[in-house]
Amino acid sequence: VTEYRNGLANGYATLGALQHVTGQVDQSLKALQRASSELEQLVRDHPTVGVYQLNLVRQSHQVAEAHVRLGQLAEAIAVYGVTRDHLDRLVRDQPDVPEYEFELAKSYWKLGEAYSVNAERAEAAQSFRRTIGILEKLLGDYSDRASFYNLLGWYLATCPDRQFHDGPRAVDLANRSIELSPKVANFLNTLGVAQYRPGRWQDAVDSLERSI
């Protein structure tokens, strides 16, 4: 039954993604919500299985993004908020699982983006600040995780709120992620964007070309 429900969730998620690509946005949202519902039941039945928890979080983010595409910002913010609160509880209950904190940082970021689009600047700034704080803590606790360096570098280079921009630090973080995992093209992309922001045009072009 468990594998059946997990497969059903994956099926609805795939259907939702295909419907989005083909412009069936309303139907896509319904399919993604159904996938999320199946995963919620899996998490209730198996609360200690981390992969189900993470899949639910990522699926919830997709539901929220579908709301954004439909212009339903209040609904998107609500979904992001519920997901953030769920991850907050997971981090408190299982502080030795860095993946939960990593997803929590992403959840705060996505919430901040939604607040920004909705012109709720104070709430957005609070969410972005929380994102950066979580990632800084993760880097202190897990200094060998390339993806942690990369994500913080990306955020410091691209944050919608310019008060959080830090181009030189973003470049340093991106370079560190590349040192740890030199074959990941996405990390080179982050470096190129980070170099572009302060006007290092040729460096940015070189890094972006290498990422392709």
Side-chain angles (χ1 to χ4, degrees):
V1 175
T2 296
E3 288 307 313
Y4 170 78
R5 174 160 278 129
N6 191 46
L8 188 61
N10 289 337
Y12 275 111
T14 301
L15 175 62
L18 290 172
Q19 288 171 327
H20 165 59
V21 170
T22 56
Q24 303 173 69
V25 185
D26 289 317
Q27 295 91 328
S28 173
L29 174 59
K30 291 177 182 177
L32 294 172
Q33 288 173 325
R34 179 62 189 275
S36 185
S37 177
E38 295 296 336
L39 288 168
E40 286 172 0
Q41 186 59 54
L42 273 176
V43 164
R44 283 193 292 270
D45 293 343
H46 307 280
T48 61
V49 179
V51 66
Y52 294 157
Q53 295 282 5
L54 292 172
N55 285 346
L56 174 58
V57 166
R58 291 161 186 159
Q59 188 59 51
S60 297
H61 285 165
Q62 290 183 28
V63 170
E65 288 160 11
H67 280 301
V68 171
R69 289 192 291 269
L70 286 165
Q72 300 169 351
L73 289 174
E75 291 85 348
I77 288 169
V79 174
Y80 283 137
V82 169
T83 307
R84 173 205 58 197
D85 293 344
H86 178 67
L87 281 163
D88 263 327
R89 288 190 295 272
L90 286 174
V91 170
R92 287 197 302 270
D93 294 343
Q94 302 179 60
D96 57 339
V97 182
E99 289 76 14
Y100 290 158
E101 283 189 274
F102 191 52
E103 291 299 326
L104 180 60
K106 294 180 186 178
S107 217
Y108 270 107
W109 179 265
K110 291 177 181 293
L111 187 56
E113 288 183 317
Y115 278 134
S116 292
V117 174
N118 212 34
E120 298 180 62
R121 294 182 179 83
E123 292 83 357
Q126 184 177 8
S127 294
F128 292 139
R129 189 172 291 109
R130 187 77 177 97
T131 295
I132 292 168
I134 292 168
L135 288 171
E136 293 283 13
K137 176 184 177 300
L138 280 171
L139 289 180
D141 294 340
Y142 304 93
S143 59
D144 60 342
R145 298 291 187 96
S147 59
F148 296 173
Y149 288 94
N150 176 71
L151 191 63
L152 181 55
W154 178 259
Y155 288 166
L156 292 179
T158 65
C159 187
D161 189 335
R162 295 186 64 84
Q163 70 173 303
F164 297 107
H165 284 191
D166 189 340
R169 179 92 194 287
V171 169
D172 288 345
L173 290 163
N175 276 321
R176 179 57 178 154
S177 72
I178 294 166
E179 289 173 7
L180 292 168
S181 296
K183 295 183 180 180
V184 180
N186 188 49
F187 296 171
L188 282 165
N189 182 72
T190 298
L191 176 60
V193 173
Q195 291 167 328
Y196 170 82
R197 294 297 183 182
R200 293 172 54 181
W201 315 122
Q202 191 56 54
D203 289 339
V205 168
D206 292 343
S207 296
L208 292 170
E209 285 181 342
R210 289 164 58 204
S211 74
I212 299 174

